Amino acid sequence: MSVQSAEQVRNTSKTVADASLTEGLVKLIRGKPIAQADLDAAAMFTLDAIANILAGRNSEPGKVMLNWARSKGASNVAPDADRMAFLMGGLCHILETDDLHRESVVHPGCVVVPAAWALGEERYVSGRALLQSVLHGFEATTRVGMAVGAAHYRIWHNTATCGPYGSAMAAAALLGLTDEQTVDALGNAGSQSAGLWQFLETGAMTKHLHAGHAAEAGLKAAELAAFGFSGPPRILEGEKGFFRAACPDAVPSAVLADPDAPWQLLRTSIKPWPSCRHTHPAIDAAEELRVRLGACGEDAIRTIEVGTYQAALDVCDRPVATSDYEAKFSLQHAVAAALLYPKVDFAAFGAEARTRCAALALRVRIAAEEPYRSTYPRAWGSQVRVMLADGTELAAARTNAKGDPEAPLSSDDMVAKARMLLVHGGVREPERIIDGVLRLAANGALPELSLL
């Protein structure tokens, strides 16, 4: 009698009804057609992530991570893909200018692109193969994220917990894993899901660790699967799986819902401002009010009211910001900065700006209001109302923020953003990086980044 492998036993004993959510997710993703327009979009999102990675080096946490990476080996030896994915993931998430998928509340680019790029660079993959893996990774992490439920986000950081599924799916594509091996990879990636919001109390650097770990965990799980390392197929819906452990109001059916929808990468938003995405609809509205206020000075403003959704309050209700990072997670500071400064850029969250905005920020009152409370997370909206000392009231509202699919940045805007980030990161030839990444859609080779 011949001895069957574990994979053969699985295949012969399983019925369609027995298929796990993870198995269904793998088949859904691998069955989706990819058009040239999808590859073009994936190249643009890859450029955004790469620009964020290189810009993240010019920050205190980025310098810490680079010093750590340089301490791990000889300078003339390239780090392995796992460690490079960790470093790139952490750097990508530092400046708060990376992408955001609203329905899942996941930043897919800072997890998926680092894993795909690190592995792709190591294996000299083609541009199209890399972009296909990015589409697969975005799809996996956001579909899991759309199923976790609202309660999960109050304690857990979705990018950290859902990210490993995306990095594993992207790596599986580049490694040529079978469907069964990919299920193993996703199972072991999901078993490493972690990432808590506790760091917000002190502004610790932990959030960057979340993205780096998620990128590395999925990549490592996929590499192990290639060698036959098995994983739990019901990591999502199992009795001791992810949903049961960390998602009290999970919606498991969301993982496989609407399989013929466009790629979720196309439903992902690009950030125009360097702060938490929850602040962006209010920044957008406040910038309109700044123009309408004209020559009115700060002293003419009596109070400011911001209507938004509950998650924005949970993460960004911070009347006093004592650091750049706290300011990026402060609706009060963000609105004050948008009213006082002609441009909300990196400097708008620095020490000088915090001093300038402090008094006005204390006049900002925020509350969860309709319709924003009910439409979240499908739409991230906000209204800003400014009451002047003479009794005049001005208001501006946004159903969606600038950079959302409904209010997208143009290709020129996205390239300009990437150029700004690359210059901020000290890149000497930003056009080489921009052109090289965008050429991936035409099957160009990966451009050298010289990260370290």
Side-chain angles (χ1 to χ4, degrees), residues 25-362:
L25 180 61
V26 171
K27 290 187 181 300
L28 183 157
I29 292 173
R30 290 185 164 176
K32 289 182 73 69
I34 298 176
Q36 182 60 46
D38 300 322
L39 294 172
D40 292 340
M44 196 64 79
F45 276 85
T46 299
L47 173 62
D48 190 72
I50 293 299
N52 272 284
I53 289 165
L54 293 170
R57 298 178 303 175
N58 186 10
S59 67
E60 182 183 352
K63 291 170 184 175
V64 171
M65 294 193 74
L66 289 169
N67 287 337
W68 167 82
R70 290 166 181 148
S71 76
K72 303 301 286 185
S75 59
N76 61 339
V77 178
D80 60 31
D82 297 348
R83 194 193 313 159
M84 186 58 74
F86 174 84
L87 177 62
M88 294 174 74
L91 291 173
C92 189
H93 205 39
I94 287 174
L95 296 178
E96 291 297 328
T97 48
D98 51 329
D99 58 35
L100 186 281
H101 183 271
R102 292 169 301 178
E103 291 90 343
S104 64
V105 203
V106 167
H107 300 273
C110 66
V111 175
V112 173
V113 173
W117 194 279
L119 186 59
E121 193 171 51
E122 184 178 80
R123 291 176 172 255
Y124 302 100
V125 304
S126 69
R128 287 180 181 269
L130 182 120
L131 296 180
Q132 176 181 312
S133 76
V134 168
L135 285 164
H136 284 199
F138 269 59
E139 196 76 11
T141 191
T142 56
R143 282 185 169 274
V144 172
M146 288 188 284
V148 298
H152 179 79
Y153 188 66
R154 296 190 187 110
I155 295 174
W156 301 94
H157 181 201
N158 289 18
T159 300
T161 58
C162 306
Y165 299 96
S167 55
M169 194 73 210
L174 294 177
L175 291 169
L177 299 189
T178 66
D179 287 0
E180 290 76 19
Q181 289 172 320
T182 304
V183 170
D184 287 333
L186 293 177
N188 286 327
S191 198
Q192 299 176 76
S193 293
L196 301 165
W197 281 113
Q198 184 62 30
F199 68 87
L200 282 174
E201 285 193 6
T202 60
M205 298 176 183
T206 311
K207 192 165 187 270
H208 324 315
L209 172 67
H210 288 177
H213 169 73
E216 179 186 29
L219 173 52
K220 189 172 294 183
E223 289 178 326
L224 285 166
F227 284 89
F229 201 85
S230 63
R234 298 189 183 276
I235 188 61
L236 293 171
E237 74 273 29
E239 286 299 309
K240 294 179 174 62
F242 179 47
F243 291 157
R244 180 61 62 91
C247 310
D249 58 352
V251 186
S253 61
V255 175
L256 304 180
D258 201 6
D260 297 324
W263 288 96
Q264 292 300 322
L265 181 142
L266 304 178
R267 294 290 304 156
T268 303
S269 302
I270 291 287
K271 286 184 176 184
W273 299 293
S275 60
C276 177
R277 186 61 173 172
H278 292 310
T279 68
H280 284 203
I283 290 175
D284 203 358
E287 285 200 330
E288 176 188 327
L289 293 179
R290 184 189 69 244
V291 175
R292 290 165 58 187
L293 285 166
C296 287
E298 176 184 348
D299 293 340
I301 299 175
R302 187 174 72 243
T303 58
I304 302 163
E305 295 177 354
V306 177
T308 185
Y309 46 89
Q310 187 59 47
L313 271 67
D314 293 342
V315 177
C316 295
D317 183 3
R318 192 162 284 100
V320 177
T322 61
S323 68
D324 292 31
Y325 201 66
E326 286 188 2
K328 292 182 178 191
F329 284 84
S330 168
L331 264 167
Q332 292 89 341
H333 174 85
V335 168
L339 289 170
L340 295 178
Y341 285 87
K343 182 190 298 184
V344 179
D345 54 12
F346 292 121
F349 299 92
E352 183 178 335
R354 293 196 303 275
T355 299
R356 168 83 193 283
C357 295
L360 189 59
L362 291 175

Side-chain angles (χ1 to χ4, degrees), residues 294-429:
C296 287
E298 176 184 348
D299 293 340
I301 299 175
R302 187 174 72 243
T303 58
I304 302 163
E305 295 177 354
V306 177
T308 185
Y309 46 89
Q310 187 59 47
L313 271 67
D314 293 342
V315 177
C316 295
D317 183 3
R318 192 162 284 100
V320 177
T322 61
S323 68
D324 292 31
Y325 201 66
E326 286 188 2
K328 292 182 178 191
F329 284 84
S330 168
L331 264 167
Q332 292 89 341
H333 174 85
V335 168
L339 289 170
L340 295 178
Y341 285 87
K343 182 190 298 184
V344 179
D345 54 12
F346 292 121
F349 299 92
E352 183 178 335
R354 293 196 303 275
T355 299
R356 168 83 193 283
C357 295
L360 189 59
L362 291 175
R363 288 177 240 166
V364 178
R365 302 289 180 266
I366 64 176
E369 295 179 355
E370 296 297 344
Y372 314 109
R373 181 164 44 199
S374 298
T375 56
Y376 175 84
R378 297 184 309 279
W380 294 31
S382 186
Q383 182 182 63
V384 178
R385 297 178 291 273
V386 175
M387 278 65 71
L388 302 181
D390 65 4
T392 302
E393 179 177 327
L394 300 175
R398 294 291 185 271
T399 300
N400 302 287
K402 184 178 180 181
D404 282 341
E406 298 82 2
L409 300 181
S410 68
S411 295
D412 288 345
D413 287 340
M414 292 179 69
V415 169
K417 176 193 171 184
R419 185 178 295 112
M420 178 273 293
L421 287 169
L422 293 170
V423 171
H424 181 78
V427 175
R428 295 181 180 178
E429 299 176 288

